Amino acid sequence: MSDLCNEARSIGEFLVSARDADEYRAMFDLTDGDLTGRVLDCPGGGASFTATACARGVDAVAVDPVYAAPPAALIAQLDAELARGAAWTQATADRYLWDFYGAPAAHARRRGESAQVFAADLLAHPKRYVPASLPHLPFPDGSFDLVLSSHLLFTYADRLDHDWHRAAMQEMVRVSRGRVRVFPLVDQAGARLTGLVENLVSEMSAAGVVASLRPVPFEFQQGAREMLELDVSRQR
Ligand SMILES: C[S@@+](CC[C@H](N)C(=O)[O-])C[C@H]1O[C@@H](n2cnc3c(N)ncnc32)[C@H](O)[C@@H]1O
């Protein structure tokens, strides 16, 4: 495929989801100490992480290609995407572990509440939501203390190839002066991708970035209990 997967192919193929700050905290094993300085959520989608983090005094911004749409259109699209996501989760409920969410209905309700927080913040603070696409981020080198990336890399490895993943990671490393965290390390079907994670860890290590797999206190897709951390502050 490549040409960097035709710039990640058309975004309509990617579900726009809306996780909340507590989900981010669990997925990325975040402590209060991690959430200081400048934080990038990439991709932000309809997640309320940035809104909640900013409300708590963190200097957070989000990136996603869908932010190029007018806010009203994006909010309407998000409603449809949440319905699509809820139907998918309900239909495939036996693939997931429900300790964190309880049940599909509670999961869907939580996504809806998170999307409302996102929508209100998008309207009130549009500059926090930057339209852009990996692997090209419109920020100078070393702009962020922490870069978080959930449910794009690996999740869509059926359509985003190895070259794209490498370029996306290099770009997140470029804009970071601290840490980059990526979750999950499985695809949409919950499969660990043979060699992809390990090859990328080797490539990043060879480029002088300290890369490690770290356990997280969250498991929804069965077996997805690890994040990939790139520690740019210790770059060799
Ligand atoms: C499943 S959502 C995840 C959103 C958010 N992180 C969350 O967990 O709720 C995937 C997002 O990736 C975005 N996306 C697709 N291609 C992208 C790219 N090349 N760079 C950045 N974001 C992209 C989509 O628009 C979509 O909002």
Side-chain angles (χ1 to χ4, degrees):
M1 218 184 301
S2 227
D3 254 350
L4 294 177
C5 286
N6 300 329
E7 293 297 314
R9 295 167 86 188
S10 92
I11 58 169
E13 295 175 73
F14 300 89
L15 186 75
V16 183
S17 53
R19 290 180 178 80
D20 66 27
D22 288 339
E23 290 172 277
Y24 270 59
R25 202 170 255 275
M27 291 185 304
F28 293 114
D29 196 19
L30 295 172
T31 62
D32 289 343
D34 291 324
L35 293 174
T36 53
R38 207 158 176 238
V39 180
L40 174 66
D41 181 18
C42 175
S48 56
F49 169 79
T50 292
T52 303
C54 288
R56 292 177 185 161
V58 179
D59 180 7
V61 295
V63 154
D64 199 294
V66 292
Y67 301 154
L74 172 52
I75 291 165
Q77 181 194 351
L78 187 52
D79 266 355
E81 293 287 287
L82 292 191
R84 183 158 78 99
W88 166 262
T89 307
Q90 178 75 55
T92 57
D94 58 347
R95 291 191 193 172
Y96 303 104
L97 298 179
W98 290 98
D99 309 359
F100 188 89
Y101 297 104
H107 177 264
R109 199 162 47 246
R110 188 170 185 148
R111 286 278 189 284
E113 289 165 3
S114 178
Q116 282 183 10
V117 173
F118 162 79
D121 201 57
L122 175 71
L123 294 171
H125 302 286
K127 291 211 166 93
R128 289 178 184 165
Y129 299 93
V130 179
S133 296
L134 283 170
H136 305 295
L137 298 176
F139 306 106
D141 295 0
S143 295
F144 297 96
D145 298 285
L146 180 64
V147 179
L148 301 174
S149 185
S150 108
H151 296 87
L152 175 62
L153 278 76
F154 306 115
T155 296
Y156 292 102
D158 57 337
R159 62 204 75 173
L160 299 171
D161 66 12
H162 189 130
D163 288 350
W164 184 90
H165 278 78
R166 186 193 311 107
M169 278 194 192
Q170 285 169 339
E171 183 67 346
M172 290 193 285
V173 163
R174 182 188 69 73
V175 301
S176 173
R177 55 180 172 245
R179 294 191 160 98
V180 177
R181 291 180 178 174
V182 181
F183 181 89
L185 308 183
V186 300
D187 68 11
Q188 286 183 90
R192 180 68 181 252
L193 305 138
T194 319
L196 180 60
V197 174
E198 288 70 20
N199 288 341
L200 288 163
V201 166
S202 301
E203 286 168 358
M204 298 310 290
S205 301
V209 179
V210 177
S212 57
L213 303 185
R214 287 188 42 190
V216 297
F218 176 84
E219 185 179 3
F220 183 47
Q221 289 178 286
Q222 294 177 27
R225 293 185 293 266
E226 288 182 316
M227 66 175 164
L228 170 57
E229 181 174 82
L230 306 169
D231 187 348
V232 181
S233 68
R234 292 166 58 209
Q235 195 154 6
R236 289 172 274 122

